[in-house]
């Protein structure tokens, strides 16, 4: 029996078209060279490639010294004597918060706006560099007074409000390791992350606003901490929407009473270049999310360099807006760190693009004269669906660079982005688009055009950045020639690379370094076109990409089978017109469970929402009598994907029971 949730029927049709389009798009021959004017004023020119090629570590050492102020200079750019464990800028000492804040104030930029904040209900706040520095110093003092010391972990469960950035920088300042958990994850997901990192402090808010309504956050923290067995001693709570919260005296503290009341005097000391900066959990191919570990000097260097080079940042005049939530890596690298390290002015928005109306983003661009916009293809496709007359109502002429991240951007969306947003008002030279490929693990952008150098091509992320050695290889690890596809790998260590998986060095080696000899395996399929430009073709493992958010099929399967009515579950990411992929689950009910139709489906969706978070709720759940398995018992997700995407089922000869697909088809027809 099939139970669709609203909106899932368009999926199948869109998909087969996408399949056909794939071959065409790889022969994309439209190219857009930078305008003369843009190229002449670009911050980084073509010489960067040659310079990096000549001596990669020396190139990065130069960036590290130019972009950061070190308390103690480093003695060696890269120590790669024990791969895959890299050390960058060995012996150096640096403070992330000092670099993001204090030094700009010392350099006379204290009055420059660091953050323009726009709350969903329309409240606004702005912080100059001087003001933000003061807030971070207070937070650093407050966290220290709550017993947080260098090396301790701090879990952060906050909405997109300035306090999120303040918290991250305050942790970095004192050498505490932040572990942000996206506000859309459930209390169970929060609990497992708090426990894995053994956090000492949690920073949260009473709630936030979502589509015009207040939503709660603190209650999830209370649930996550309800049982013993965790290491949390204190919880700091930002009052965001004033809703009622349960209060645990002694453990809970209002931000206003601790942070706002703290001293604004705080000296930043240098931390070792390899001191842990943060942990960020991300979905892998097994059930349990991995705590990706990043350290200080290399991360700051590469994020700052790429932010400057890829967005052509002119910090005196640009207004930069990255729409990512701080709960994801993009919100770490390109909201909390790089823009501030580079002394930029940025916009931060709390809410959804349709609150209170579908022109909200463009209203924000117009209001703050945003010149660099960085967002995800899923958002662009949503705006396409809403129609160009909405952005056309606003003055978007300030925009001069457009960024894309998180998933492949299809050429149609790319062209729409360029024409409608980048060419708004009939601009002679529409803003260049930089499609940036990278991952939580890479810490910073790895493949992207340089807007003043590269002739951009709709749909392709194109070229490795200077100082980055990316390749596409076949299954034996041999580099493929142009015009061929394979697996995306990284051949040389890079400054912002993950330093490991929290508490599990073996898993780090095994996940990323065992598939190919001496290469980092990204988990993405890719192709080189005739020009040698790289096209990303999506994940080749069990990781899905839903609206640019990473989710693992096995994680959702585990959530489903933890429901008493479910015997077995298989999850696939099916192509979706708007969200890139959508979660489709196939479940076998237990013998004694009743297939109550929509009711059981709703129940299972809510169960996944509780176990992982609303973002993981399957769009479609199909109750089936059997699952296709190989003789060794492995579920053949490929076949289920064919079903979910409405295609004829591919080669099923390796199935243990070759009648299974027919049974599934029959049950879905009913
Ligand atoms: C995908 C997000 C195509 C890719 C920064 C990668 C992309 C995963 C792009 C990482 C892009 C990211 N084109 N695919 N420009 N950017 N991806 O860790 O599959 O949330 O492996 O990091 O997103 O997702 P993550």
């Amino acid at each position: 029996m099939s139970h669709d949730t609203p909106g899932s029927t368009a999926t199948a049709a869109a998909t087969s078209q996408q399949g056909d389009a794939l071959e065409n798009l790889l022969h994309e021959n439209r190219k857009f060279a930078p305008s003369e004017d843009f190229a002449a004023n670009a911050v980084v020119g073509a010489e960067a490639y040659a310079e990096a090629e000549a001596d990669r570590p020396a190139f990065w050492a130069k960036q590290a010294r130019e972009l950061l102020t070190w308390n103690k200079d480093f003695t060696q750019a890269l120590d790669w004597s024990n791969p895959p464990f890299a050390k960058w800028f060995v012996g150096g000492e640096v403070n992330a918060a000092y670099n993001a804040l204090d030094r700009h104030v010392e350099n006379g930029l204290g009055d420059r706006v660091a953050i323009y904040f726009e709350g969903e209900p329309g409240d606004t706040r702005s912080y100059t560099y001087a003001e933000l520095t003061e807030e971070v110093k207070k937070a650093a003092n407050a966290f220290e007074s709550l017993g947080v010391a260098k090396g301790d972990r701090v879990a952060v469960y906050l909405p997109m409000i300035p306090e999120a950035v303040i918290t991250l920088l305050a942790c970095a300042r004192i050498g505490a390791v932040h572990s942000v958990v996206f506000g859309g994850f459930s209390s169970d997901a929060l609990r497992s992350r708090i426990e894995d990192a053994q956090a000492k402090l949690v920073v949260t808010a009473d709630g936030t606003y979502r589509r015009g309504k207040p939503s709660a956050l603190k209650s999830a923290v209370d649930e996550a901490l309800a049982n013993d067995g965790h290491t949390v001693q204190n919880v700091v709570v930002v009052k965001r929407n004033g809703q009622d919260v349960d209060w645990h005296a002694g453990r809970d503290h209002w931000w206003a009473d601790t942070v706002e009341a703290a001293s604004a005097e705080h000296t930043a000391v240098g931390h070792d270049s390899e001191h842990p900066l943060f942990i960020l959990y991300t979905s892998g191919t097994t059930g349990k999310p991995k705590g990706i570990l990043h350290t200080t000097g290399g991360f700051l260097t590469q994020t700052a360099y790429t932010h400057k080079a890829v967005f052509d940042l002119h910090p005196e005049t640009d207004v930069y807006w990255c729409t990512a939530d701080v709960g994801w890596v993009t919100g770490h690298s390109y909201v909390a760190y790089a823009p501030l390290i580079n002394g930029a002015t940025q916009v931060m928005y709390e809410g959804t693009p349709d609150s209170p109306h579908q022109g909200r983003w463009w209203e924000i661009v117009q209001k703050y004269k945003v010149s660099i916009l960085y967002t995800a293809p899923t958002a662009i496709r949503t705006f396409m669906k809403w129609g160009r007359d909405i952005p056309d109502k606003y003055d978007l002429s300030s925009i001069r660079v457009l960024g894309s991240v998180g998933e492949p951007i299809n050429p149609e969306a790319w062209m729409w982005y360029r024409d409608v947003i980048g060419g708004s008002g009939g601009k002679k030279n529409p803003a260049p688009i930089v499609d940036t490929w990278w991952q939580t693990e890479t810490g910073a952008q790895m493949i992207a055009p340089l807007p003043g150098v590269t002739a951009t091509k709709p749909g392709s992320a194109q070229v490795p950045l200077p100082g980055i050695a990316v390749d596409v290889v076949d299954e034996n690890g041999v580099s493929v020639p142009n015009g061929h596809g394979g697996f995306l790998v990284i051949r040389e260590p890079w400054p912002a690379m993950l330093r490991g998986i929290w508490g599990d060095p073996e898993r780090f080696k095994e996940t990323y370094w065992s598939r190919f000899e001496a290469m980092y395996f990204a988990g993405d399929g890719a192709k080189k076109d005739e020009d040698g430009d790289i096209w990303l073709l999506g994940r080749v493992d069990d990781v899905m990409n839903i609206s640019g958010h990473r989710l693992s099929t096995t994680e959702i399967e585990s959530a489903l089978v933890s429901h008493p009515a479910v015997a077995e579950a298989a999850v696939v990411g099916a192509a979706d017109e708007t969200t890139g992929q959508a979660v489709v689950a196939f479940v076998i009910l237990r013998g004694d469970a009743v297939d109550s139709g929509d009711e059981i489906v709703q129940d299972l969706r809510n169960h996944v929402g509780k176990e992982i978070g609303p973002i993981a709720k399957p769009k479609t759940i199909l109750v089936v009598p059997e699952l296709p398995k190989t003789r060794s018992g492995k579920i053949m997700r490929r076949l289920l994907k064919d079903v979910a995407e409405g295609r004829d089922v591919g080669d099923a000869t390796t199935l243990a029971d070759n009648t299974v697909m027919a049974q599934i088809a029959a049950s879905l027809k009913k």
Side-chain angles (χ1 to χ4, degrees):
M1 191 186 288
S2 147
H3 315 288
D4 272 5
T5 49
S8 64
T9 38
T11 312
T15 311
S16 53
Q17 276 169 20
Q18 272 172 16
D20 296 342
L22 190 63
E23 269 310 299
N24 300 339
L25 69 81
L26 294 175
H27 299 290
E28 178 63 57
N29 46 23
R30 284 170 292 192
K31 270 197 193 181
F32 301 94
S35 71
E36 255 172 54
D37 201 37
F38 196 106
N41 293 302
V43 185
V44 174
E47 67 287 345
Y49 295 106
E51 198 190 325
E53 195 55 42
D55 188 339
R56 196 180 307 275
F59 169 82
W60 286 117
K62 181 179 150 198
Q63 307 310 328
R65 291 195 175 101
E66 269 181 27
L67 293 162
L68 302 177
T69 306
W70 294 78
N71 293 64
K72 186 169 154 226
D73 193 16
F74 49 90
T75 51
Q76 190 186 1
L78 166 67
D79 176 355
W80 190 234
S81 58
N82 179 30
F85 299 95
K87 288 189 184 138
W88 281 90
F89 313 126
V90 183
E93 287 178 9
V94 66
N95 187 291
Y98 174 81
N99 275 275
L101 302 164
D102 312 47
R103 66 167 176 160
H104 300 313
V105 180
E106 290 166 15
N107 291 337
L109 301 177
D111 290 338
R112 181 180 289 173
V113 172
I115 297 178
Y116 286 117
F117 169 69
E118 184 87 18
E120 192 184 88
D123 56 321
T124 60
R125 269 187 270 168
S126 69
Y127 292 83
T128 62
Y129 271 92
E131 288 163 346
L132 196 64
T133 305
E134 190 161 303
E135 292 302 315
V136 169
K137 287 179 174 176
K138 285 184 189 175
N141 280 321
F143 297 169
E144 281 181 333
S145 74
L146 292 173
V148 178
K150 183 168 175 170
D152 287 343
R153 272 79 61 207
V154 175
V156 181
Y157 191 65
L158 281 170
M160 269 309 269
I161 55 176
E163 286 82 355
V165 172
I166 294 167
T167 297
L168 267 47
L169 291 172
C171 289
R173 190 175 188 93
I174 62 180
V177 184
H178 55 75
S179 169
V180 180
V181 181
F182 176 57
F185 280 121
S186 68
S187 59
D188 285 352
L190 176 63
R191 177 192 299 125
S192 70
R193 285 159 174 77
I194 287 174
E195 286 176 3
D196 188 75
Q198 300 188 300
K200 206 166 180 183
L201 171 72
V202 180
V203 183
T204 188
D206 50 356
T208 181
Y209 297 92
R210 222 68 201 145
R211 302 211 156 79
K213 281 189 267 164
S215 77
L217 281 169
K218 165 103 176 14
S219 52
V221 174
D222 292 336
E223 279 169 37
L225 302 181
N227 300 324
D228 291 343
H230 61 77
T231 44
V232 173
Q233 294 168 355
N234 293 288
V235 177
V236 171
V237 188
V238 177
K239 189 174 266 177
R240 173 60 188 134
N241 61 13
Q243 66 186 97
D244 281 342
V245 289
D246 285 344
W247 203 253
H248 296 248
R251 185 196 77 185
D252 296 349
H253 315 269
W254 287 111
W255 177 278
D257 300 338
T258 43
V259 176
E260 288 309 324
S263 155
E265 296 295 320
H266 189 278
T267 307
V269 298
H271 301 301
D272 190 275
S273 180
E274 283 299 336
H275 182 68
L277 185 62
F278 66 87
I279 307 168
L280 184 58
Y281 287 83
T282 191
S283 293
T285 49
T286 60
K288 196 168 160 260
K290 305 175 284 213
I292 302 299
L293 174 67
H294 283 287
T295 61
T296 310
F299 175 84
L300 297 178
T301 300
Q302 194 182 332
T303 53
Y305 176 73
T306 52
H307 182 255
K308 175 181 106 165
V310 174
F311 298 126
D312 186 46
L313 181 76
H314 292 73
E316 323 73 44
T317 47
D318 274 319
V319 176
Y320 164 84
W321 180 22
C322 168
T323 64
D325 191 284
V326 79
W328 306 100
V329 74
T330 309
H332 282 59
S333 304
Y334 297 102
V335 175
Y337 288 102
L340 298 172
I341 297 285
N342 287 336
T345 295
Q346 72 176 322
V347 172
M348 191 174 181
Y349 171 54
E350 178 185 27
T352 53
D354 53 356
S355 292
H357 57 82
Q358 295 177 335
R360 185 70 191 270
W361 277 23
W362 316 119
E363 190 177 72
I364 292 173
V365 167
Q366 171 178 290
K367 176 173 175 187
Y368 296 104
K369 297 192 168 48
V370 170
S371 57
I372 305 171
L373 178 67
Y374 191 27
T375 193
T378 183
I380 299 163
R381 290 191 297 263
T382 302
F383 294 129
M384 279 174 80
K385 212 162 61 183
W386 291 347
R388 73 170 292 161
D389 41 314
I390 296 170
D392 278 352
K393 280 192 224 131
Y394 298 89
D395 177 5
L396 312 179
S397 58
S398 53
I399 287 184
R400 52 174 215 95
V401 179
L402 293 171
S404 176
V405 62
E407 49 178 324
I409 175 166
N410 44 312
E412 300 71 45
W414 197 101
M415 288 306 299
W416 190 92
Y417 197 26
R418 178 182 159 89
D419 291 342
V420 178
I421 308 302
S424 163
K427 252 187 226 159
K428 189 166 129 256
N429 295 309
I433 296 177
V434 285
D435 176 10
T436 64
W437 178 89
W438 58 294
Q439 309 178 293
T440 305
E441 292 88 340
T442 69
Q445 297 163 351
M446 302 292 280
I447 308 177
L450 289 180
V453 179
T454 321
T456 56
K457 206 184 256 185
S460 167
Q462 295 187 292
V463 278
L465 284 165
I468 299 300
V470 166
D471 201 358
V472 180
V473 299
D474 67 17
E475 50 202 32
N476 301 315
V478 178
S479 187
V480 301
N482 290 353
H484 291 261
F487 304 98
L488 192 78
V489 296
I490 306 166
R491 289 186 174 278
E492 300 285 343
W494 64 101
M497 67 194 280
L498 75 164
R499 298 302 196 267
I501 293 175
W502 185 254
D504 203 344
E506 272 315 306
R507 193 171 170 202
F508 168 57
K509 284 198 210 168
E510 143 108 33
T511 310
Y512 304 104
W513 302 91
S514 66
R515 178 74 177 76
F516 301 108
E517 172 86 31
M519 289 179 232
Y520 170 89
F521 173 46
D524 280 41
K527 183 155 174 162
K528 293 181 194 165
D529 70 12
E530 273 90 34
D531 301 326
D533 282 329
I534 296 172
W535 292 75
L536 279 311
L537 302 178
R539 304 284 306 192
V540 295
D541 55 11
D542 296 333
V543 173
M544 295 174 291
N545 193 325
I546 317 295
S547 299
H549 298 157
R550 258 169 88 163
L551 290 168
S552 108
T553 52
T554 31
E555 204 180 338
I556 299 177
E557 285 164 5
S558 316
L560 284 166
V561 295
S562 74
H563 188 282
V566 175
E568 266 193 278
V571 165
V572 296
D576 182 276
E577 232 178 0
T578 307
T579 57
Q581 285 188 314
V583 180
V584 176
F586 295 79
V587 298
I588 303 178
L589 296 181
R590 280 178 194 261
D592 54 352
V594 189
D595 181 357
S596 53
D598 291 346
E599 206 177 302
I600 182 81
V601 166
Q602 209 38 51
D603 196 25
L604 292 177
R605 293 184 79 241
N606 291 339
H607 181 70
V608 174
K610 186 187 158 293
E611 291 284 310
I612 304 173
I615 50 164
K617 283 185 183 176
K619 185 170 177 184
T620 309
I621 294 182
L622 302 162
V623 177
V624 292
E626 271 308 328
L627 289 172
K629 289 191 190 144
T630 61
R631 281 174 203 100
S632 59
K634 196 167 153 30
I635 293 173
M636 290 192 70
R637 289 205 183 78
R638 182 172 54 79
L639 300 179
L640 293 174
K641 213 166 151 153
D642 287 341
V643 173
E645 296 182 342
R647 269 191 307 273
D648 287 342
V649 171
D651 182 6
T653 47
T654 50
L655 285 183
D657 172 358
N658 56 19
T659 64
V660 166
M661 292 315 292
Q663 288 181 45
I664 291 177
S667 78
L668 298 186
K669 273 210 197 84
K670 267 196 246 156

